Amino acid sequence: MSTTIHSIDAILVDIPTIRPHKLSMTTMGVQTMVIVRIKDSNGLEGLGEATTIGGLSYGPESPESIKLTIDSYLAPLLLNQPSNNINTLKVRLNANIRANHLAKSAIETALLDLNGKQQGLSVSQLLGGAIHQHLPVLWVLASGDTAKDIDEAQSMIAAKRHCVFKLKIGSRPVMEDVKHVAAIKAALGDSVSIRVDVNQAWDEFTATKGMQALQSAGIDWVEQPTPTKDFASLVRLSQKFTIPILADESINDATDGFQLAAAGFSGSYALKIAKSAGPIGALKLASVAQASGIGLYGGTMLEGTIGTVASLHAWSTLEKLHVGTEMFGPLLMKDDIVVNPLNYSNFGVEIPTTPGLGVEIDEDKLAFYRRK
């Protein structure tokens, strides 16, 4: 007999970052996660996570609004429902709740974890099976200080933890940013890949100037140079330069992916389970990209271990991630709330193979970091 959903808890958790993380729209010193715990009528528990960047500075959902949405709107629709048919539960939520993709992603992740534990299968097995057991992971250099970023990158290379780096730019005048990036590229050499993320900070005129200079400096690609729904500028820029563009904030789901590809965009899409309301939606977007000749990238919202491993299970089922992944979120935080953190080594990360997500909450750490 199928079990039912017995309880749903959403918990705010605040963990300091190892250093200030500077983006074009904000600087982070603490990451706030919404941890979701769903228990079935047999006492099994599934874990999920919803995490955004810098409160409301990045998008329309904040940690506080995510918790409120889950507590007041999503949970009442799910309690006492059969726990093993995720598609039916997704239809139920979408019929009653518009958008709120991050909150829905946390719920879907917890249900996948729960279903995996119920069946003795990993989440990647539930999603069709892992093709990869180890995925490459880049590191983001975001101190804003050129010398510090060079030192940080060199230490990562020496430790065999990362050999691909992304720089957050866009908060300074464009040529100051280019000078900063070019100096790091020159110091690290041609064997190291350097990419930049503008986080929508440029208009098309500025992006044209910046991308020309970045292309000349040997930078490998530019992420989201222009505003979210300015598809036309992304298409024109992708056709004007040989330096590739990675679309991130512009692409939430398969519909966005189809529309941008149909408009003539050439480049890559950043897959994020949070933007697509869960791993299942992110993989639907991946299918649209694959059919359109668009490259794939495993993106992050700077989630902790729970959200990161959920993404990794999804990415592991994809044959090719053309520009790798950035699943470094747990490494940006000073501590973790799981018993066994992910294994980062050999310039990448291992995919857990135990049932569900393959992680377990450290109750003492959760109690210490949960918002009082």
Side-chain angles (χ1 to χ4, degrees), residues 97-119:
I97 310 293
R98 304 297 179 194
N100 290 282
H101 293 160
L102 275 74
K104 289 176 179 176
S105 177
I107 293 291
E108 182 178 294
T109 298
L111 289 170
L112 284 167
D113 186 34
L114 178 60
N115 278 214
K117 290 170 180 173
Q118 290 169 340
Q119 300 178 50

Short mmCIF file of all heavy atoms in Angstrom, two decimals, residues 97-119:
data_model
loop_
_atom_site.label_atom_id
_atom_site.label_comp_id
_atom_site.label_asym_id
_atom_site.label_seq_id
_atom_site.Cartn_x
_atom_site.Cartn_y
_atom_site.Cartn_z
N ILE A 97 -0.72 26.83 -7.72
CA ILE A 97 0.30 27.81 -7.36
C ILE A 97 1.08 28.21 -8.60
O ILE A 97 1.67 27.36 -9.27
CB ILE A 97 1.30 27.23 -6.31
CG1 ILE A 97 0.56 26.60 -5.13
CG2 ILE A 97 2.29 28.30 -5.87
CD1 ILE A 97 -0.19 27.57 -4.27
N ARG A 98 1.10 29.49 -8.91
CA ARG A 98 1.85 29.99 -10.06
C ARG A 98 3.32 30.21 -9.66
O ARG A 98 3.61 30.62 -8.53
CB ARG A 98 1.28 31.32 -10.56
CG ARG A 98 -0.20 31.27 -10.91
CD ARG A 98 -0.48 30.32 -12.06
NE ARG A 98 -1.91 30.27 -12.37
CZ ARG A 98 -2.47 29.34 -13.13
NH1 ARG A 98 -1.72 28.39 -13.65
NH2 ARG A 98 -3.77 29.36 -13.37
N ALA A 99 4.21 29.98 -10.60
CA ALA A 99 5.64 30.28 -10.43
C ALA A 99 6.18 29.69 -9.11
O ALA A 99 5.96 28.52 -8.84
CB ALA A 99 5.89 31.77 -10.53
N ASN A 100 6.89 30.50 -8.31
CA ASN A 100 7.51 30.02 -7.08
C ASN A 100 8.37 28.77 -7.35
O ASN A 100 8.25 27.75 -6.67
CB ASN A 100 6.45 29.74 -6.01
CG ASN A 100 5.83 31.01 -5.48
OD1 ASN A 100 6.42 31.71 -4.66
ND2 ASN A 100 4.65 31.34 -5.98
N HIS A 101 9.26 28.89 -8.33
CA HIS A 101 10.04 27.74 -8.79
C HIS A 101 11.00 27.22 -7.73
O HIS A 101 11.23 26.01 -7.63
CB HIS A 101 10.80 28.12 -10.06
CG HIS A 101 9.93 28.38 -11.23
ND1 HIS A 101 10.34 29.10 -12.33
CD2 HIS A 101 8.64 28.02 -11.49
CE1 HIS A 101 9.36 29.16 -13.21
NE2 HIS A 101 8.32 28.53 -12.71
N LEU A 102 11.60 28.12 -6.95
CA LEU A 102 12.56 27.65 -5.95
C LEU A 102 11.87 26.82 -4.88
O LEU A 102 12.37 25.77 -4.47
CB LEU A 102 13.30 28.83 -5.31
CG LEU A 102 14.53 29.34 -6.08
CD1 LEU A 102 14.12 30.12 -7.32
CD2 LEU A 102 15.41 30.20 -5.18
N ALA A 103 10.73 27.29 -4.41
CA ALA A 103 9.98 26.54 -3.40
C ALA A 103 9.56 25.18 -3.95
O ALA A 103 9.67 24.15 -3.26
CB ALA A 103 8.75 27.34 -2.96
N LYS A 104 9.09 25.15 -5.20
CA LYS A 104 8.68 23.88 -5.80
C LYS A 104 9.87 22.95 -6.02
O LYS A 104 9.75 21.72 -5.90
CB LYS A 104 7.97 24.14 -7.13
CG LYS A 104 6.59 24.78 -6.97
CD LYS A 104 5.98 25.11 -8.32
CE LYS A 104 4.59 25.73 -8.17
NZ LYS A 104 4.01 26.14 -9.47
N SER A 105 11.04 23.53 -6.31
CA SER A 105 12.24 22.70 -6.50
C SER A 105 12.61 21.99 -5.20
O SER A 105 12.99 20.81 -5.22
CB SER A 105 13.41 23.57 -6.97
OG SER A 105 14.59 22.81 -7.09
N ALA A 106 12.52 22.70 -4.09
CA ALA A 106 12.84 22.07 -2.80
C ALA A 106 11.89 20.92 -2.50
O ALA A 106 12.30 19.86 -2.01
CB ALA A 106 12.78 23.11 -1.68
N ILE A 107 10.60 21.12 -2.80
CA ILE A 107 9.61 20.07 -2.59
C ILE A 107 9.89 18.88 -3.49
O ILE A 107 9.90 17.71 -3.04
CB ILE A 107 8.19 20.62 -2.85
CG1 ILE A 107 7.79 21.65 -1.79
CG2 ILE A 107 7.18 19.48 -2.89
CD1 ILE A 107 7.58 21.11 -0.39
N GLU A 108 10.13 19.14 -4.78
CA GLU A 108 10.39 18.03 -5.72
C GLU A 108 11.64 17.25 -5.31
O GLU A 108 11.66 16.02 -5.36
CB GLU A 108 10.55 18.57 -7.14
CG GLU A 108 10.78 17.45 -8.16
CD GLU A 108 10.87 17.98 -9.57
OE1 GLU A 108 9.85 18.49 -10.07
OE2 GLU A 108 11.96 17.87 -10.17
N THR A 109 12.69 17.97 -4.91
CA THR A 109 13.92 17.30 -4.48
C THR A 109 13.66 16.41 -3.27
O THR A 109 14.14 15.26 -3.23
CB THR A 109 14.99 18.35 -4.14
OG1 THR A 109 15.31 19.11 -5.31
CG2 THR A 109 16.26 17.68 -3.62
N ALA A 110 12.91 16.91 -2.30
CA ALA A 110 12.61 16.10 -1.11
C ALA A 110 11.78 14.87 -1.48
O ALA A 110 11.98 13.78 -0.92
CB ALA A 110 11.88 16.95 -0.07
N LEU A 111 10.86 15.02 -2.42
CA LEU A 111 10.05 13.87 -2.85
C LEU A 111 10.91 12.84 -3.59
O LEU A 111 10.73 11.63 -3.42
CB LEU A 111 8.91 14.34 -3.74
CG LEU A 111 7.78 15.11 -3.03
CD1 LEU A 111 6.84 15.74 -4.04
CD2 LEU A 111 7.01 14.19 -2.07
N LEU A 112 11.85 13.31 -4.41
CA LEU A 112 12.76 12.38 -5.09
C LEU A 112 13.62 11.63 -4.07
O LEU A 112 13.83 10.42 -4.20
CB LEU A 112 13.63 13.13 -6.08
CG LEU A 112 12.97 13.57 -7.39
CD1 LEU A 112 13.84 14.57 -8.13
CD2 LEU A 112 12.69 12.35 -8.28
N ASP A 113 14.13 12.36 -3.09
CA ASP A 113 14.93 11.72 -2.05
C ASP A 113 14.10 10.68 -1.30
O ASP A 113 14.56 9.55 -1.06
CB ASP A 113 15.45 12.78 -1.08
CG ASP A 113 16.41 12.23 -0.03
OD1 ASP A 113 17.18 11.29 -0.36
OD2 ASP A 113 16.40 12.73 1.10
N LEU A 114 12.87 11.04 -0.96
CA LEU A 114 11.98 10.12 -0.25
C LEU A 114 11.66 8.90 -1.10
O LEU A 114 11.74 7.75 -0.63
CB LEU A 114 10.69 10.85 0.11
CG LEU A 114 9.60 10.04 0.82
CD1 LEU A 114 10.11 9.48 2.14
CD2 LEU A 114 8.35 10.90 1.04
N ASN A 115 11.31 9.10 -2.37
CA ASN A 115 11.00 7.98 -3.26
C ASN A 115 12.20 7.06 -3.44
O ASN A 115 12.07 5.83 -3.49
CB ASN A 115 10.54 8.50 -4.62
CG ASN A 115 9.07 8.88 -4.66
OD1 ASN A 115 8.40 8.70 -5.67
ND2 ASN A 115 8.54 9.40 -3.56
N GLY A 116 13.39 7.65 -3.56
CA GLY A 116 14.59 6.84 -3.68
C GLY A 116 14.81 5.97 -2.47
O GLY A 116 15.16 4.77 -2.59
N LYS A 117 14.61 6.52 -1.29
CA LYS A 117 14.77 5.73 -0.06
C LYS A 117 13.70 4.65 0.03
O LYS A 117 13.97 3.54 0.50
CB LYS A 117 14.72 6.66 1.15
CG LYS A 117 15.94 7.57 1.27
CD LYS A 117 15.76 8.64 2.33
CE LYS A 117 16.98 9.54 2.44
NZ LYS A 117 16.77 10.68 3.35
N GLN A 118 12.49 4.97 -0.40
CA GLN A 118 11.42 3.98 -0.37
C GLN A 118 11.73 2.79 -1.28
O GLN A 118 11.40 1.64 -0.95
CB GLN A 118 10.10 4.63 -0.80
CG GLN A 118 9.52 5.63 0.20
CD GLN A 118 8.37 6.43 -0.39
OE1 GLN A 118 8.22 6.53 -1.60
NE2 GLN A 118 7.54 7.01 0.48
N GLN A 119 12.37 3.06 -2.42
CA GLN A 119 12.61 2.01 -3.41
C GLN A 119 14.04 1.45 -3.37
O GLN A 119 14.35 0.51 -4.11
CB GLN A 119 12.34 2.56 -4.82
CG GLN A 119 10.91 3.04 -5.03
CD GLN A 119 10.71 3.63 -6.41
OE1 GLN A 119 11.08 3.03 -7.41
NE2 GLN A 119 10.12 4.82 -6.47
#
